[in-house]
Amino acid sequence: MSFTLLGILNSAAAGGGVPYWLASIGSGNGLGSEFALSGDADSNIYFPTGGFRLQKVDANGSGVWQNQSSAGSGYGQSANLNIGSVQSGTNFSNPVSGGWEGVVQKRSPGGSLQWTKYVGTTGNDIMYGNEMDSVGNVYFVGEGNNSSFSTGASLIKLNSSGNLLWSTSITNAGASRWQKVAVTAAGNIYTVGTSNLGSGALRLVVSKFNSSGALQYFRYIGLGGLQVAGEAIVVDESTSEDNLYVVGETYEGATGARDSYIAKYRGNSGALLWQRQTGISGQYGKYYAVDMDAEGYIYAFGLQDGFPSAGSNQQFVTKYDSNGNVQFQRYINNAGAGNDRPQGIISADGAMVFSGKLQTSLGSGTNGLLAKLPLDGSLTGTYSIAGGSIIYATPSMTSKTYNNGNSFQSVSTTGSGWLSGNYNYPLSNTTEPIATLDL
């Protein structure tokens, strides 16, 4: 799996300014289908490139290390400059109980494997996002299937050595899952995901837990035929309220319309502050990732059909202020060809960094793209690289503002039919081979 810096896009980098660049990843398969991207305090970037393969790149776009193991398929990761990196996902080879098993793996700052843990019940367990706190405790989320909770949204906490501290699950008669988790310096834990509430209609769900795993509140959003799915979360800790920004998609059953969705919650209370949609009439759109910069602006990264032409899915980013006002929108794709797929976005080193998968390859079989671009949306244009072209431009999209009443409702749910409590997920140690790969 190769990493190639395709080009520095600005002359300021030579004088010590922030370097902006485009890079290609891989040959053949390129980036994996996982939705994850993370950074550390030194502006290094970590991203999965298929399976449990993880790569580290520095702020200048130079590869630092890349390695892989046979643990499974990775869906999320987090990183800390001094502690290392953690990757979570699922093993479909039935290593523990005969079903799919959640798996979490920790690497040192230098990329060497520290430990691997499987978590599994008698059913199928799938783990998605994870987060580390300042002392190296690991929190990861997903969906578990067990006799106590049916298909439940699962939250598990391990210490820095990989030992289980606690686990909890929440569900009702239907299927629920947590997609991403965020942990604050004060120890508050926030999760976002999706549940069908036992009725078949999808609802975006947001919850808060304390550091011991006790549920503080559970909120869902949606109304009637207006369905909402949750994909990612970021927390603004600059105020005591812990403002939450969550993203995903909406689906209107009557019309079939599917649009990208973002909402802001007051983390401490769970109050819904505002919500927005963006999209193109009659076309599919969805936000998969979100992050925030040092000034409090929000960057939502997703997929949109319909530009530059109908029938092609392109990656795009929207920048919002803290009140939900759009600052700019940009799309990036391989000269209008193919159906692309977003992976993740972070704000790092005074720039936005995002990764995605290009269906049509650049050059000799490379079809993963990692881009580091200005926070103000500048440097648009067409870049001829690797035998092809990358377009970074402004799409024509429509944004909608929903009130918090008739269009969508945020509801606190604690009634009968919902179960929340500790569930002792079996945790298994395993020794996984890990290989260091050439960059």
Side-chain angles (χ1 to χ4, degrees):
M1 184 71 65
S2 61
F3 177 87
T4 305
L5 182 63
L6 299 175
I8 300 292
L9 306 184
N10 62 319
S11 58
V18 176
Y20 303 118
W21 42 261
L22 298 173
S24 64
I25 304 105
S27 58
N29 290 328
L31 284 170
S33 59
E34 305 80 5
F35 302 103
L37 189 68
S38 60
D40 63 27
D42 207 24
S43 300
N44 295 302
I45 302 159
Y46 303 76
F47 55 94
T49 54
F52 254 68
R53 180 187 288 115
L54 191 66
Q55 183 154 341
K56 179 180 179 179
V57 173
D58 69 18
N60 296 314
S62 298
V64 178
W65 52 254
Q66 181 183 196
N67 56 41
Q68 67 178 356
S69 81
S70 57
S73 296
Y75 294 116
Q77 91 271 335
S78 56
N80 182 290
L81 179 63
N82 299 313
I83 298 173
S85 57
V86 171
Q87 195 169 13
S88 55
T90 300
N91 190 300
F92 299 99
S93 300
N94 310 326
V96 180
S97 65
W100 298 349
E101 312 300 341
V103 60
V104 60
Q105 190 171 82
K106 182 180 179 182
R107 294 170 170 87
S108 72
S112 60
L113 181 64
Q114 303 295 290
W115 45 258
T116 303
K117 303 287 183 178
Y118 286 117
V119 56
T121 63
T122 55
N124 292 331
D125 302 276
I126 303 175
M127 296 301 154
Y128 298 106
N130 73 70
E131 187 65 89
M132 278 191 294
D133 63 23
S134 60
V135 297
N137 294 316
V138 180
Y139 308 75
F140 59 107
V141 294
E143 57 183 293
N145 193 317
N146 59 75
S147 58
S148 297
F149 291 105
S150 183
T151 302
S154 305
L155 169 64
I156 300 168
K157 181 179 180 180
L158 309 180
N159 66 16
S160 59
S161 299
N163 299 314
L164 179 66
L165 297 179
W166 50 256
S167 58
T168 187
S169 184
I170 186 169
T171 191
N172 63 350
S176 305
R177 72 171 184 269
W178 298 129
Q179 198 76 27
K180 289 293 190 296
V181 58
V183 183
T184 70
N188 296 318
I189 305 164
Y190 299 99
T191 59
V192 66
T194 304
S195 175
N196 66 13
L197 304 182
S199 65
L202 296 180
R203 300 291 184 251
L204 183 151
V205 287
V206 177
S207 285
K208 178 183 179 181
F209 298 83
N210 67 17
S211 59
S212 299
L215 180 66
Q216 306 299 290
Y217 63 70
F218 180 90
R219 302 284 188 269
Y220 73 86
I221 194 165
L223 178 67
L226 297 171
Q227 304 184 57
V228 194
E231 288 290 333
I233 185 170
V234 66
V235 184
D236 178 6
E237 299 182 58
S238 64
T239 66
S240 59
E241 289 88 357
D242 278 355
N243 291 318
L244 314 179
Y245 298 90
V246 298
V247 297
E249 68 171 317
T250 60
Y251 173 71
E252 300 183 29
T255 63
R258 302 179 72 168
D259 292 309
S260 300
Y261 177 81
I262 182 171
K264 180 179 181 179
Y265 280 85
R266 190 76 76 197
N268 282 359
S269 64
L272 178 65
L273 300 180
W274 54 254
Q275 51 193 327
R276 304 286 187 267
Q277 270 183 315
T278 189
I280 297 175
S281 178
Q283 306 292 336
Y284 171 81
K286 181 178 182 178
Y287 284 140
Y288 285 95
V290 64
D291 202 17
M292 184 179 65
D293 68 20
E295 295 183 355
Y297 289 99
I298 311 304
Y299 302 83
F301 188 47
L303 183 72
Q304 179 62 58
D305 192 10
F307 59 80
S309 60
S312 59
N313 297 326
Q314 313 301 337
Q315 302 165 62
F316 80 105
V317 60
T318 304
K319 179 178 180 178
Y320 296 91
D321 66 17
S322 60
N323 295 314
N325 299 310
V326 174
Q327 306 300 292
F328 66 74
Q329 291 182 313
R330 300 287 185 268
Y331 75 89
I332 188 167
N333 80 321
N334 186 15
N339 292 311
D340 302 342
R341 190 173 187 180
Q343 188 187 54
I345 189 168
I346 58 173
S347 170
D349 194 30
M352 55 180 177
V353 181
F354 47 84
S355 61
K357 191 171 185 178
L358 304 179
Q359 182 177 10
T360 303
S361 65
L362 289 173
S364 180
T366 57
N367 65 350
L369 178 69
L370 188 67
K372 183 176 181 180
L373 293 163
L375 293 174
D376 63 3
S378 61
L379 292 182
T380 56
T382 300
Y383 298 93
S384 298
I385 51 177
S389 296
I390 293 292
I391 298 174
Y392 183 55
T394 301
S396 177
M397 300 176 69
T398 300
S399 295
K400 303 175 185 178
T401 300
Y402 282 104
N403 61 45
N404 297 341
N406 294 328
S407 294
F408 290 100
Q409 291 183 345
S410 184
V411 182
S412 175
T413 300
T414 56
S416 61
W418 284 90
L419 298 173
S420 176
N422 293 331
Y423 180 79
N424 187 21
Y425 281 93
L427 193 69
S428 303
N429 294 306
T430 183
T431 301
E432 292 288 344
I434 189 165
T436 300
L437 308 177
D438 292 332
L439 294 171

